[in-house]
Amino acid sequence: METIKESHNQKKLLHIAMFPWLAYGHLMPFLQLSKFLAQKGHRISFVSTPKNLHRLPTSSSLSPLIKLIELPMPVVDGLPESAESTSDVPINKVPYLKKAYDKLELPLTRCLEDLEVNWIVIDFASHWLPRVATRLGINSVYFTIFNATTMAFVGPPSEILGGERQQPEDFTVVPKWIDFPNFDVAYKLHEMVTHWECMEEEVSDFQRIAAGIQGCDFVATRTCPEFDADSLSLLNKLYGKPVVPLGLLPPVLTDPDGADESEGDKWRSLREWLDNKKEKSVVYIALGTEVTLSREAMHELARGIEKSGLCFIWVLGNRQFSEGPDMIPVWFETRVGDRGLVWRGWAPQLRVLAHSSIGGFLTHCGWSSVIEALEFGRVLILFSGASSDQGLIARLMHNKQVGLEIPRDDRDGSFSSVAVAESIRRVMVDKEGEPLRANAWAMKEVFGNLDLNNKCLDEFNQFLVTWPASTS
């Protein structure tokens, strides 16, 4: 009988709306989830603003079951006219982006009334959406793109809303509800001070998270039990409702040796350079699309990279090199010669990380970037971008011994070129870094295991099709 019931549930098809936060790092996991659910036969309405939808990589042709729905970006005083995502604004302008996102409540409500969806997948910022969903008789799932350890550190809604942590300093210690042995994951002060800048005064990020968790039917998190078992178990207790691991959503290279049209010329140039380097000899350096270091910090990082003496590819995103040509020392590229390649603008990161010449990744610790690196077993040199959950990820990966965090001053985030060089060499070539390299390589069995990740997604799908329908 159970088999017949499961078979019946698998055939139950749903209409699911997606409403991610206005950031590429949120849009992509929501799109990956949409593609999986469409493969199960569900209809997906993916809702965002025009510029964000146009950013999505749809060249591989989305399933006809996925419909992209545009909502015009609201006008907010203080927000640049063409800004629609975090990549369009400096961190101190992000609060205005949150105000604009909140103004989407009415148009989204009207949209949902017309769509007649069964479920809506909500993100952290839309604190008002669970209330709207309940009124319209729509089930809601809170999808956090963070891992379970990050969410456990943030804590239960009661602590988020009325707990003792009210200032940046309060987040620099392990919270009392986490009692795992040898757990040493907390923010550095400079990271929380930076994050405070991007919070909207009227509704803080913590209030947004709490409202989403409290108002949804269940929570889904971008992790898997094989990596995050203790934190997943704790979250179920903290929230008092189901917490479902979605898997790590590792991106897939359909043709590892090729490239699509958008990647073509860029990848050919990079691959030609990498093909001439020894296996696992190159450090890939990329600080994400939104991290902005001061000129002084960029120069210190450059000096450290040079002092390491190792081969590298350093990707400077548009935001980093748009600050001016002197963001890296004028002598840098001449002095490093052929052992280093400075790449300006977008790079096909997944293809670079998959190349056999790449041994390690100096990363800003964005969760998507870490997943991509460990999917191919690349050891990590951890340099927190000091935004969102990146500091927590740096500590977590350091503690899991799949990488090494570059030492920095807790209060201002400063660091030395010597520390950078020593960290790179230890991780990449020194004997004492062998355990780190071995552990990172072994992580391929979790982060690159599509069967394991698809199992999590299948279980998530079962939650959707078996959950009782909401009533308005």
Side-chain angles (χ1 to χ4, degrees):
M1 289 293 293
E2 187 65 22
T3 305
I4 294 172
K5 183 180 178 183
E6 287 177 7
S7 175
H8 173 73
N9 287 333
Q10 284 294 332
K11 292 179 181 177
K12 181 180 177 182
L13 300 180
L14 303 166
H15 185 183
I16 303 165
M18 299 274 174
F19 189 61
W21 164 237
L22 307 175
Y24 193 75
H26 290 246
L27 290 159
M28 286 309 298
F30 271 70
L31 183 63
Q32 285 174 276
L33 180 57
S34 298
K35 289 177 178 178
F36 174 83
L37 292 172
Q39 288 173 1
K40 295 292 184 182
H42 304 304
R43 285 191 298 141
I44 308 296
S45 291
F46 195 101
V47 185
S48 193
T49 62
K51 197 171 174 182
N52 283 307
L53 293 179
H54 295 159
R55 281 190 174 112
L56 297 177
T58 56
S59 57
S60 55
S61 74
L62 288 175
S63 162
L65 290 172
I66 299 177
K67 184 179 180 183
L68 304 181
I69 297 178
E70 294 184 359
L71 295 181
M73 186 69 179
V75 175
V76 167
D77 287 342
L79 186 68
E81 189 176 331
S82 61
E84 293 190 17
S85 80
T86 53
S87 63
D88 298 330
V89 293
I91 194 167
N92 64 336
K93 295 283 187 182
V94 172
Y96 299 108
L97 199 65
K98 287 170 182 164
K99 287 179 184 289
Y101 189 71
D102 289 344
K103 280 191 167 188
L104 289 170
E105 179 178 353
L106 184 58
L108 179 64
T109 301
R110 290 171 177 161
C111 177
L112 292 173
E113 288 172 339
D114 294 337
L115 289 173
E116 297 183 351
V117 300
N118 307 103
W119 282 91
I120 184 159
V121 182
I122 66 176
D123 208 335
F124 88 95
S126 49
H127 60 101
W128 40 267
L129 190 45
R131 180 185 69 249
V132 170
T134 299
R135 182 164 56 81
L136 297 179
I138 300 170
N139 289 117
S140 61
V141 51
Y142 179 100
F143 172 26
T144 170
I145 66 161
F146 304 140
N147 60 52
T149 298
T150 291
M151 297 307 293
F153 181 89
V154 173
S158 58
E159 282 287 341
I160 296 170
L161 295 173
E164 299 171 356
R165 299 189 299 180
Q166 300 297 325
Q167 298 298 323
E169 291 83 358
D170 301 332
F171 293 83
T172 61
V173 294
V174 177
K176 59 189 176 185
W177 53 83
I178 298 181
D179 58 359
F180 309 149
N182 303 314
F183 186 87
D184 188 24
V185 174
Y187 284 103
K188 304 294 187 186
L189 182 59
H190 74 93
E191 294 165 342
M192 282 311 293
V193 168
T194 299
H195 187 72
W196 233 251
E197 289 183 40
C198 75
M199 286 208 289
E200 203 252 311
E201 287 183 4
E202 293 178 18
V203 189
S204 74
D205 286 1
F206 303 113
Q207 291 172 295
R208 292 172 186 273
I209 290 169
I213 293 167
Q214 286 178 322
C216 71
D217 291 293
F218 70 95
V219 175
T221 175
R222 189 183 183 185
T223 193
C224 65
E226 290 76 7
F227 176 76
D228 237 355
D230 289 342
S231 294
L232 279 167
S233 177
L234 177 59
L235 281 185
N236 278 280
K237 296 174 186 173
L238 295 179
Y239 295 168
K241 60 180 61 179
V243 177
V244 181
L246 268 181
L248 296 155
L249 302 178
V252 178
L253 281 177
T254 51
D255 178 11
D257 296 320
D260 63 29
E261 290 180 13
S262 65
E263 297 173 330
D265 291 340
K266 294 178 186 296
W267 173 233
R268 275 190 289 273
S269 298
L270 285 163
R271 185 174 61 181
E272 184 178 332
W273 189 89
L274 285 166
D275 284 346
N276 290 314
K277 300 294 181 279
K278 294 178 182 177
E279 185 175 349
K280 295 184 181 178
S281 67
V282 178
V283 185
Y284 176 64
I285 303 161
L287 301 181
T289 56
E290 298 177 23
V291 174
T292 305
L293 296 180
S294 67
R295 179 183 176 278
E296 179 185 9
M298 287 286 283
H299 281 229
E300 194 68 12
L301 183 60
R303 283 189 284 270
I305 294 166
E306 185 208 5
K307 288 175 183 175
S308 76
L310 299 181
C311 297
F312 66 88
I313 290 177
W314 188 2
V315 175
L316 296 177
N318 292 327
R319 181 173 289 189
Q320 289 147 3
F321 80 80
S322 65
E323 297 289 325
D326 64 342
M327 282 301 284
I328 60 171
V330 292
W331 48 259
F332 180 73
E333 291 178 81
T334 303
R335 291 226 303 237
V336 297
D338 186 53
R339 72 174 175 86
L341 176 64
V342 176
W343 186 266
R344 292 166 173 82
W346 180 85
Q349 178 164 294
L350 195 63
R351 294 194 180 279
V352 174
L353 288 168
H355 196 282
S356 60
S357 292
I358 298 294
F361 182 14
L362 196 161
T363 173
H364 68 302
C365 306
W367 188 220
S368 291
S369 287
V370 167
I371 288 169
E372 290 178 12
L374 292 177
E375 180 181 353
F376 299 106
R378 307 307 179 204
V379 67
L380 303 169
I381 302 131
L382 303 157
F383 186 84
S384 160
S387 177
S388 187
D389 61 333
Q390 292 161 12
L392 298 180
I393 290 171
R395 268 44 1 114
L396 179 61
M397 294 301 149
H398 184 97
N399 286 0
K400 294 241 183 209
Q401 297 186 4
V402 294
L404 182 71
E405 187 169 6
I406 295 173
R408 299 170 71 177
D409 184 275
D410 288 2
R411 299 192 68 82
D412 64 15
S414 60
F415 59 94
S416 72
S417 59
V418 172
V420 172
E422 288 178 350
S423 299
I424 292 173
R425 290 200 60 83
R426 180 175 170 187
V427 167
M428 288 290 292
V429 295
D430 289 353
K431 186 174 179 58
E432 61 181 328
E434 285 179 3
L436 302 178
R437 297 190 286 274
N439 290 341
W441 189 253
M443 275 290 178
K444 287 199 309 177
E445 300 305 314
V446 173
F447 282 71
N449 188 329
L450 293 180
D451 290 338
L452 183 154
N453 283 282
N454 285 335
K455 181 185 174 187
C456 289
L457 286 165
D458 283 333
E459 290 174 359
F460 172 75
N461 180 60
Q462 278 296 108
F463 261 83
L464 295 180
V465 299
T466 58
W467 199 274
S470 176
T471 54
S472 55

